[in-house]
Amino acid sequence: MCDTLGILTDGKALFGKNSDRSPNEPQVLEFVPAALHSEQELKATYISVPQVKETHAVLLSRPTWMWGAEIGVNDCGVCIGNEAVFTLGKYGETGLTGMDMLRLALERSASAKDALDTLIALLEQFGQGGNCGYDHEFFYDNSFLIMDRGELYVLETCGKKWAYKKYERTSISNRLSIGADGDAYSGGRAYDFRRRHTEYIFTMGSGSAARRNQTQGCVADIGSIGDIMSALRVHHGGIKNPFAGGSVSSTCMHFGGMVGDHTTQSMAVDLGENRTVIWATGSSTPCVSLFKPYEFGSVPYAPVFNPQDSQAKKYWYSQEKFRRALIGKSIPAEFFAERDALEGSWLKLAKTAEISELAVKCAAEEKEFYEKWSSYDFPSANTSPGFRSRWAQKTEIFIKESEA
């Protein structure tokens, strides 16, 4: 379960996404350079597809066990985020995962429209499917928010059927949103795509209605990359302390309820005229994380790593230890005030500074920030036995996996 936002306004192009997955699933940020290929095929998560001769450079946020990615941007300024959607009919037992299609589209597309067409072609030729759960079976169809500096599209699917619509600013969540107002449909005839293909039980249980209402409310007022970060940190109005009770209804999702995942990675992208700056947490739980800058194409530095660098997974695990220590605690307002002041200073400097130099400063100040708060005695909050039990089970496994 996830949420993605895209904004084209006043000459700005802004993108953001939270990736909500199993709380124990590491998700790493990797910069993959452009490449020429001689091989005829490539192996995605479950199936092989023909390889192309040349692929674009991409920055990916990737669950470590998958070939594909949850979030990404390429060297042409194309950004894509994908969402699980729950539809009528049987899901594919195998095929391309939504994450596979996202990565393939970024590697092969020079514009948002190219990426849209590539996604449709991949869907129609290979189909979508395969288990996408880390520690449990989880099958679904996919929707995508695709944008560059000039165009923004939403593509929604059910099996090999699809519909898309062009926007200037919008958000998507774990539900179909295109009715009979789409710009194009598989088969060529417009119809109420949402009504015909929505599976309502899982869609309602996903909390996506509340989350999309939150992001749509934010979308109307977003004017800066800092606003994107704030939108990714929103909690449902009825949640007093997200560290004391899980909720699928918050854009910043917290595990702990009977159902639901956890925000395991967050990314905000500023598609500037002359440079693309990515702000990423490199960790779960954006409400207690800091977004750090990375200029697309520069030498990778934490939280961005080279492909297959073992330090990437270790980085995610190291960041997660602080967040696990907050489960069942109350966090003082001073923590969030200091987070905002620190991040605000970085955003201000990013307007004029060399991003690679700023990143060094950010890394040092982030380390100091968490060292300070790691020694703080956070007071315990009232939590239910079920919440404590569910987190205890996950954390026991997390400790074993992180030490493996």
Side-chain angles (χ1 to χ4, degrees):
M1 263 101 68
C2 313
D3 297 278
T4 308
L5 307 87
I7 312 292
L8 293 173
T9 184
D10 300 327
K12 296 177 182 178
L14 305 170
F15 170 91
K17 174 173 165 65
N18 276 349
S19 176
D20 302 335
R21 306 281 301 173
S22 167
N24 281 357
E25 181 185 70
Q27 189 164 151
V28 296
L29 293 164
E30 296 177 334
F31 178 75
V32 183
L36 298 175
H37 303 276
S38 59
E39 64 272 23
Q40 298 300 305
E41 287 191 330
L42 71 85
K43 179 65 164 62
T45 302
Y46 293 115
I47 67 171
S48 295
V49 299
Q51 179 60 290
V52 295
K53 292 183 179 180
E54 187 173 359
T55 52
H56 292 278
V58 293
L59 176 67
L60 304 172
S61 184
R62 182 179 65 84
T64 53
W65 65 279
M66 289 184 173
W67 181 84
E70 278 274 333
I71 321 171
V73 56
N74 75 9
D75 51 15
C76 297
V78 180
C79 298
I80 310 178
N82 91 298
E83 310 287 335
V85 291
F86 306 105
T87 60
L88 297 171
K90 187 177 181 180
Y91 300 123
E93 290 294 322
T94 190
L96 291 172
T97 68
M99 285 72 79
D100 291 338
M101 289 190 285
L102 181 153
R103 178 172 179 173
L104 287 166
L106 287 172
E107 288 185 343
R108 300 176 178 198
S109 305
S111 69
K113 185 58 167 61
D114 285 348
L116 173 68
D117 293 340
T118 299
L119 286 166
I120 291 172
L122 291 166
L123 180 72
E124 292 182 335
Q125 183 175 358
F126 301 104
Q128 59 183 315
N131 175 34
C132 293
Y134 174 68
D135 47 20
H136 61 287
E137 285 197 346
F138 192 23
F139 293 83
Y140 50 78
D141 285 333
N142 292 271
S143 67
F144 304 87
L145 191 152
I146 312 140
M147 68 175 291
D148 57 20
R149 292 175 175 86
E151 294 185 313
L152 190 163
Y153 298 91
V154 170
L155 171 67
E156 298 185 342
T157 74
C158 173
K160 289 190 176 183
K161 302 180 183 70
W162 55 264
Y164 74 75
K165 184 176 180 179
K166 190 175 182 180
Y167 295 87
E168 289 187 357
R169 54 171 68 208
T170 195
S171 63
I172 59 173
S173 190
N174 304 112
R175 56 178 42 230
L176 299 177
S177 61
I178 298 174
D181 57 341
D183 295 327
Y185 298 77
S186 55
R189 179 178 295 182
Y191 63 97
D192 193 329
F193 194 85
R194 175 184 60 246
R195 183 173 181 180
R196 183 175 299 182
H197 297 304
T198 293
E199 193 289 320
Y200 286 97
I201 293 176
F202 281 93
T203 297
M204 291 176 63
S206 71
S208 57
R211 286 185 281 114
R212 188 161 190 260
N213 283 339
Q214 291 161 23
T215 55
Q216 286 289 91
C218 293
V219 158
D221 297 321
I222 285 175
S224 70
I225 197 66
D227 293 336
I228 293 281
M229 298 176 194
S230 296
L232 298 178
R233 287 173 168 148
V234 171
H235 298 118
H236 188 273
I239 304 298
K240 294 182 179 179
N241 180 357
F243 290 91
S247 171
V248 297
S249 299
S250 295
T251 304
C252 179
M253 189 177 290
H254 289 247
F255 174 78
M258 292 293 292
V259 297
D261 291 323
H262 194 83
T263 300
T264 56
Q265 185 70 260
S266 301
M267 184 187 294
V269 182
D270 188 348
L271 295 169
E273 183 178 351
N274 299 314
R275 64 180 184 179
T276 296
V277 179
I278 296 94
W279 295 80
T281 58
S283 63
S284 77
T285 331
C287 62
V288 292
S289 298
L290 290 160
F291 285 86
K292 284 84 63 181
Y294 170 77
E295 185 170 353
F296 189 96
S298 59
V299 175
Y301 43 81
V304 178
F305 295 85
N306 288 310
Q308 308 307 319
D309 186 339
S310 62
Q311 293 303 311
K313 191 173 181 179
K314 291 179 180 178
Y315 179 89
W316 190 90
Y317 277 131
S318 68
Q319 295 286 307
E320 186 66 12
K321 290 178 181 178
F322 174 81
R323 287 143 189 82
R324 291 298 166 102
L326 298 178
I327 304 301
K329 303 294 184 179
S330 294
I331 304 173
E334 290 81 3
F335 175 94
F336 299 108
E338 188 172 339
R339 177 206 69 185
D340 291 344
L342 190 57
E343 208 168 67
S345 69
W346 299 345
L347 286 165
K348 185 176 181 180
L349 287 170
K351 295 177 181 179
T352 56
E354 288 292 333
I355 297 300
S356 57
E357 294 178 3
L358 175 59
V360 175
K361 174 182 174 66
C362 293
E365 292 182 347
E366 180 189 47
K367 181 180 179 181
E368 183 179 349
F369 175 79
Y370 285 116
E371 285 178 348
K372 170 188 172 180
W373 285 102
S374 292
S375 63
Y376 184 83
D377 185 16
F378 293 94
S380 296
N382 292 324
T383 56
S384 70
F387 175 84
R388 294 193 296 272
S389 175
R390 285 184 282 272
W391 264 116
Q393 292 174 26
K394 289 290 186 184
T395 299
E396 181 180 2
I397 297 170
F398 164 78
I399 292 171
K400 292 178 181 178
E401 292 179 340
S402 64
E403 294 176 348

